[in-house]
Amino acid sequence: MNGASTSETGVVTGSPVKKESRRPKYTKFTQQELPACKPLLTPGWVISIFLIVGIIFIPIGVVSLLASSKVVQIVYRYDQTCLPATARTTKDAQLSYIQNPGTDKNCPVTLTVPKQMKSPVYVYYELDHFYQNHRRYVKSVSSAQLQDNSSSSLSDCKPEDYVNGLPITPCGLIAWSLFNDTFNFSTVSNAPVHVNRNGIAWKSDVQKKFGSNVFPNNFPNNNLTNPSGIGGASLNSSLPLDQDEDLIVWMRTAALPNFRKLWGKIEQDFQPGDTINVGIVNQYNTYSFEGKKKLVLSTTSWLGGKNIFMGVAYLTIGVLCIVLALVFLLIHLRHPRPLGDPSYLSWNRKNSHGTDNLRS
């Protein structure tokens, strides 16, 4: 009936079937019709933006350079000067000297203060060509062990994971290669200069990464009967890891091969011309990879240590923006160009002539 037929299975045929539409629900968001700011970069806008950036960046660069210039620092490289004359000839001689526990490693050094250094004066050691960012070196640590002395995940610490079947605490190459040169400071009258060794590590590292109930155990550097297995400083077996700030500072690996790490703070002022006597114990091996060791005494400013990069970068960008603004201004004045009709930028709107952009 009504032109419809029925099949044997009872399915009605011949009637139109309405298909489901795949068209998404209309919203301004899905159709990208939300109000938006579409600035038209006219020559005036471009020149103004470059001028504003230059006017802002140049003073910031000048202030940064002035702050950096007020930082006073003394940098002394001692890896070569603290070697005996007979050990400076070849690399083999250097290695023979530094790896022999019987040689005298004491090295007296005299430093002269160039400008007034106000308290606190920070003491750093600086290493060059030491790749703490190497993938295998960075992974050679067990965070779980440092926090709760867990020995269930020491596979990344190889080869410094076990000694005689017992786990090493702390395990890994980072702890094993702990810096072990020491520095003693005194004045010209041999009065000792106190160096505060506390508060040199990040509080977040002390509180969250190192446990108060974790103590060094089976640490290879403590085994003086096997000098070939010693990689750096020994650890106090009765001192928990969260109190050994030298270790905590060292365990925060550097991102670049040339880096400084804080060793201590001198909380007294030095005047221009003052002499500081330093007793260096040169025992850390950087000669096997031709590395450099430096002692750094430095003050700080409100921007931190001495670093002219940020000031130079701001000045360079600021001057470049000013120059570009002047160049664009001269071009615009000598060869002005009339602006086109912005309505042509839209395909579905009429232009100023009243015609549709597609038809025109």
Side-chain angles (χ1 to χ4, degrees):
M1 297 179 63
N2 298 328
S5 62
T6 306
S7 65
E8 294 180 356
T9 59
V11 179
V12 178
T13 61
S15 59
V17 179
K18 186 178 180 180
K19 297 182 179 180
E20 294 184 0
S21 174
R22 295 185 179 182
R23 179 182 297 175
K25 184 179 179 181
Y26 174 81
T27 62
K28 289 188 176 181
F29 178 77
T30 57
Q31 298 302 319
Q32 300 183 14
E33 294 181 359
L34 290 175
C37 177
K38 300 177 181 178
L40 185 62
L41 295 178
T42 62
W45 271 105
V46 173
I47 294 171
S48 300
I49 290 173
F50 275 114
L51 282 175
I52 292 173
V53 172
I55 292 172
I56 294 175
F57 274 39
I58 289 177
I60 295 177
V62 172
V63 171
S64 301
L65 287 177
L66 289 176
S68 179
S69 65
K70 293 181 180 179
V71 175
V72 182
Q73 68 176 11
I74 304 173
V75 181
Y76 182 81
R77 178 183 173 183
Y78 65 90
D79 58 285
Q80 293 296 322
T81 57
C82 286
L83 285 176
T86 55
R88 300 178 187 176
T89 54
T90 63
K91 182 178 180 179
D92 291 338
Q94 295 173 356
L95 293 176
S96 176
Y97 165 80
I98 201 68
Q99 293 175 350
N100 185 354
T103 56
D104 184 16
K105 304 294 195 306
N106 294 305
C107 176
V109 172
T110 300
L111 305 177
T112 303
V113 179
K115 297 180 181 179
Q116 184 183 26
M117 303 180 73
K118 293 185 178 181
S119 173
V121 178
Y122 294 92
V123 182
Y124 302 89
Y125 57 87
E126 181 176 330
L127 298 180
D128 290 358
H129 303 157
F130 193 111
Y131 289 83
Q132 273 198 320
N133 57 352
H134 191 281
R135 182 182 64 86
R136 186 178 179 186
Y137 186 87
V138 172
K139 289 182 60 178
S140 186
V141 64
S142 174
S143 299
Q145 184 196 59
L146 296 177
Q147 294 174 354
D148 55 16
N149 204 18
S150 172
S151 58
S152 59
S153 58
L154 303 184
S155 58
D156 289 336
C157 292
K158 294 180 180 179
E160 301 298 329
D161 50 352
Y162 291 93
V163 171
N164 298 326
L166 299 175
I168 299 173
T169 306
C171 70
L173 294 173
I174 305 177
W176 175 75
S177 60
L178 175 61
F179 185 79
N180 62 343
D181 284 0
T182 58
F183 313 99
N184 294 313
F185 298 87
S186 61
T187 63
V188 67
S189 59
N190 291 328
V193 175
H194 175 68
V195 181
N196 186 3
R197 304 295 311 282
N198 298 320
I200 61 175
W202 290 17
K203 289 185 179 181
S204 58
D205 290 351
V206 175
Q207 297 172 356
K208 298 180 179 180
K209 293 187 177 181
F210 294 83
S212 58
N213 296 321
V214 183
F215 295 85
N217 189 30
N218 296 323
F219 197 58
N221 296 345
N222 291 2
N223 185 8
L224 300 180
T225 61
N226 182 22
S228 61
I230 297 177
S234 59
L235 298 178
N236 187 349
S237 58
S238 61
L239 186 68
L241 296 187
D242 68 335
Q243 296 183 21
D244 194 338
E245 296 198 37
D246 281 336
L247 175 66
I248 297 174
V249 170
W250 180 259
M251 294 289 285
R252 175 166 284 278
T253 54
L256 300 175
N258 303 337
F259 59 87
R260 293 179 182 178
K261 290 186 180 290
L262 186 60
W263 191 82
K265 295 179 288 185
I266 299 176
E267 297 173 341
Q268 74 177 60
D269 297 342
F270 293 103
Q271 302 303 321
D274 285 354
T275 299
I276 304 175
N277 296 324
V278 186
I280 302 175
V281 180
N282 177 33
Q283 53 190 352
Y284 194 70
N285 183 11
T286 58
Y287 305 100
S288 58
F289 55 90
E290 299 180 358
K292 301 176 183 178
K293 296 189 290 186
K294 300 175 185 177
L295 171 64
V296 181
L297 304 181
S298 176
T299 60
T300 58
S301 67
W302 60 274
L303 275 179
K306 194 175 188 66
N307 187 357
I308 65 172
F309 173 78
M310 186 172 69
V312 172
Y314 271 105
L315 275 178
T316 302
I317 296 175
V319 171
L320 182 61
C321 287
I322 294 293
V323 172
L324 290 176
L326 295 177
V327 171
F328 291 159
L329 179 61
L330 291 176
I331 294 175
H332 180 62
L333 293 177
R334 296 193 61 180
H335 306 285
R337 295 179 61 186
L339 290 177
D341 189 353
S343 61
Y344 280 103
L345 298 176
S346 177
W347 64 271
N348 61 352
R349 292 182 183 178
K350 292 184 178 180
N351 54 43
S352 59
H353 298 288
T355 60
D356 188 81
N357 288 334
L358 288 178
R359 296 180 179 178
S360 60

